[in-house]
């Protein structure tokens, strides 16, 4: 396959469209599509939400009969199965397109090359692998769940320069600036679910919601408040301490309470998840498998030092996101993570810097585990 500058140009257009769905499509992937004829875009679209039309359908509707003999650029392999919507591969074939350029094959076992094969069998020229790295990044959480059954875990920590998340009294509001907290809202809005603990919920009177008014204006202008999806709140409550009157249960959206035994909680918009392994505490790997089975693609973690340390220690973190405030809280303040088993420097968990960004007076660092 020879990748031309034209192919790269139009695939970049499709990738930009795909990114528009990152707040709304879960549990589906974010997909963009551009249809080109005579070097002009005649149709474009992106997948907006599960159950709604796919990107190819929006683009074909816009192109109409002109789609015949056109070239289609799509960021993920067109689906080949009947789900909530008909197969997009069939729609492209019926439209009579000449060529389909795909960023990458879909790892979903329901698709996994079948859509590409169907297009080729119909006589359509198919090229795969244009801007694959960028396409993989956009849907890294969906792809991880498809490949492993586990969600993509992002652990967020807000800390002082000396790695402290709260004063000894527990006071932590607010270590970081409003700019950093606005950035957190963007990450929350893209997550399928937010993971926290009973201790954090009770200590901070937490709501763990996406607040539309705190999102950047650019995002508010694209997504009205009615379109902003509330991630599912997943709260670890292994000792059955939640009683149901906490602030978190009064917020819009659903809350899943994770316990070791089938002890229901009387709270609105809540569901009980029982993690019944033989371990005395909630088994985090088992929990992640449960969440993957419930189509949770991305898991945003906001909790204290014990859960943060446990996730790191068990190699369950895909991305570590740390907000550093230019403050020192001193040796009596609470640490950002607790790693009780770590005794040797050579065994210290290592990460790789992916980005370092100034947010107002604060610093955001994104890291991934060193392979």
């Amino acid at each position: 396959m020879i990748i031309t500058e034209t192919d790269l140009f139009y695939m970049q257009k499709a990738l930009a469209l795909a990114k528009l769905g990152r707040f709304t499509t879960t549990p589906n992937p974010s997909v963009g599509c551009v249809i080109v004829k005579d070097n002009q875009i005649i149709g474009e679209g992106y997948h907006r939400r599960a159950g709604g039309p796919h990107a190819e359908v929006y683009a074909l509707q816009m192109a109409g009969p002109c789609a015949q003999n056109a070239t289609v650029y799509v960021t993920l392999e067109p689906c080949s199965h009947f789900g909530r919507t008909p197969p997009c591969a069939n729609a492209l074939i019926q439209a009579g397109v000449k060529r389909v350029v795909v960023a990458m094959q879909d790892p979903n076992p329901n698709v996994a090359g079948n859509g590409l094969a169907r297009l080729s069998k119909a006589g359509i020229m198919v090229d795969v692998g244009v801007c694959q790295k960028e396409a993989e990044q956009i849907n890294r959480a969906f792809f991880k769940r498809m490949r492993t059954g586990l969600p993509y875990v992002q652990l967020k920590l807000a800390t002082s320069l000396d790695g402290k998340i709260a004063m000894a009294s527990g006071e932590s509001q607010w270590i970081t600036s409003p700019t950093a907290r606005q950035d957190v809202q963007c990450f929350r809005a893209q997550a399928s679910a937010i993971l926290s603990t009973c201790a954090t919920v009770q200590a901070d009177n937490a709501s763990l919601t996406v607040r539309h008014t705190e999102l950047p204006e650019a995002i508010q202008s694209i997504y009205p408040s009615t379109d902003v999806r509330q991630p599912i709140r997943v709260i670890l409550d292994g000792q059955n301490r939640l009683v149901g009157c906490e602030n978190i249960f009064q917020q819009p959206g659903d809350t899943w309470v994770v316990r070791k035994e089938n002890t229901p909680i009387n709270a609105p918009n809540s569901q009980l998840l029982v993690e019944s392994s033989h371990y005395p505490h909630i088994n985090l790997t088992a929990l992640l498998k449960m969440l993957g089975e419930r189509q949770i693609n991305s898991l945003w973690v906001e909790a204290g030092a014990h859960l943060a340390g446990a996730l790191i220690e068990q190699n369950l973190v895909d991305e570590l996101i740390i907000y550093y405030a230019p403050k020192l809280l001193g040796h009596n303040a609470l640490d950002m993570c607790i790693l009780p088993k770590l005794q040797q420097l050579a065994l210290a968990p290592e990460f790789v810097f992916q980005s370092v960004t100034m947010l107002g007076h604060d610093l955001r660092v994104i890291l991934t585990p060193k392979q």
Side-chain angles (χ1 to χ4, degrees):
M1 179 184 67
I2 299 176
I3 300 175
T4 67
E5 290 296 324
T6 299
D7 290 337
L8 292 173
F9 176 80
Y10 288 118
M11 187 59 78
Q12 289 293 335
K13 294 281 188 182
L15 290 167
L17 286 168
K19 291 177 182 177
L20 293 176
R22 67 191 188 277
F23 294 98
T24 57
T25 60
T26 189
N28 288 1
S30 297
V31 182
C33 179
V34 171
I35 301 178
V36 178
K37 193 171 187 179
D38 299 326
N39 209 29
Q40 296 289 328
I41 294 177
I42 59 172
E44 60 181 28
Y46 68 95
H47 183 45
R48 299 176 185 179
R49 56 180 49 85
H54 289 188
E56 299 94 323
V57 173
Y58 282 117
L60 287 170
Q61 288 175 348
M62 181 176 175
C66 294
Q68 188 169 9
N69 293 321
T71 297
V72 178
Y73 294 88
V74 61
T75 59
L76 187 64
E77 175 184 0
C79 64
S80 56
H81 65 291
F82 282 89
R84 298 188 191 182
T85 58
C88 290
N90 290 4
L92 293 170
I93 293 169
Q94 291 168 5
V97 303
K98 182 179 181 180
R99 179 182 179 224
V100 176
V101 182
V102 179
M104 63 178 295
Q105 181 176 308
D106 192 341
N108 184 344
N110 289 325
V111 185
N114 294 326
L116 301 176
R118 188 173 297 183
L119 293 171
S120 296
K121 187 176 180 180
I124 297 172
M125 185 186 306
V126 177
D127 290 313
V128 185
V130 179
C131 301
Q132 179 170 334
K133 185 177 180 180
E134 296 94 324
E136 177 91 27
Q137 181 67 14
I138 291 173
N139 286 306
R140 62 192 186 278
F142 173 79
F143 295 151
K144 185 192 175 187
R145 180 171 69 84
M146 286 294 111
R147 292 165 178 158
T148 69
L150 304 176
Y152 187 89
V153 177
Q154 295 174 298
L155 173 59
K156 167 259 181 180
L157 296 166
T159 178
S160 62
L161 290 177
D162 49 351
K164 306 295 182 177
I165 59 172
M167 301 302 293
S169 64
E171 179 188 359
S172 63
Q173 297 181 340
W174 296 102
I175 292 177
T176 53
S177 67
T179 305
R181 299 199 296 276
Q182 184 181 65
D183 193 62
V184 169
Q185 288 289 316
C186 290
F187 278 106
R188 281 186 182 181
Q190 295 176 71
S192 304
I194 300 174
L195 177 66
S196 193
T197 66
C198 168
T200 297
V201 166
Q202 293 181 327
D204 298 342
N205 194 29
S207 60
L208 299 177
T209 55
V210 175
R211 294 179 283 277
H212 186 262
T213 56
E214 295 182 24
L215 291 169
E217 291 184 3
I219 294 177
Q220 291 186 43
S221 64
I222 298 174
Y223 304 92
S225 58
T226 52
D227 282 0
V228 172
R229 173 188 50 81
Q230 289 296 338
I232 295 167
R233 298 176 290 271
V234 181
I235 311 301
L236 305 186
D237 186 26
Q239 297 181 359
N240 302 350
R241 291 178 177 174
L242 294 175
V243 296
C245 63
E246 289 84 359
N247 182 45
I248 198 167
F249 296 112
Q250 316 310 316
Q251 305 303 317
D254 295 330
T255 301
W256 295 352
V257 177
V258 185
R259 291 178 166 174
K260 289 294 297 179
E261 55 190 46
N262 190 11
T263 306
I265 182 168
N266 184 20
N269 303 315
S270 66
Q271 179 180 340
L272 177 68
L273 298 186
V274 180
E275 194 288 289
S276 57
S277 66
H278 64 276
Y279 295 94
H281 303 291
I282 291 171
N283 183 293
L284 294 176
T285 300
L287 172 63
L288 293 183
K289 289 180 179 178
M290 291 170 61
L291 296 179
E293 291 169 356
R294 287 164 174 77
Q295 296 189 308
I296 299 298
N297 292 334
S298 57
L299 188 65
W300 175 259
V301 184
E302 293 191 34
H306 287 280
L307 179 57
L311 288 166
I312 292 171
E313 197 169 60
Q314 296 175 43
N315 298 314
L316 296 175
V317 175
D318 295 291
E319 204 169 60
L320 181 60
I321 302 174
I322 306 177
Y323 295 87
Y324 285 103
K327 301 173 183 176
L328 296 171
L329 301 189
H331 72 285
N332 288 325
L334 303 182
D335 292 319
M336 64 189 289
C337 68
I338 296 174
L339 301 169
K341 296 180 181 179
L342 182 59
Q343 302 295 327
Q344 300 176 29
L345 181 59
L347 300 178
E350 292 189 67
F351 292 82
V352 178
F353 288 99
Q354 298 298 330
S355 69
V356 179
T357 307
M358 290 298 301
L359 296 172
H361 297 297
D362 298 331
L363 189 69
R364 185 193 70 196
V365 179
I366 298 181
L367 310 100
T368 54
K370 184 177 181 181
Q371 300 300 319

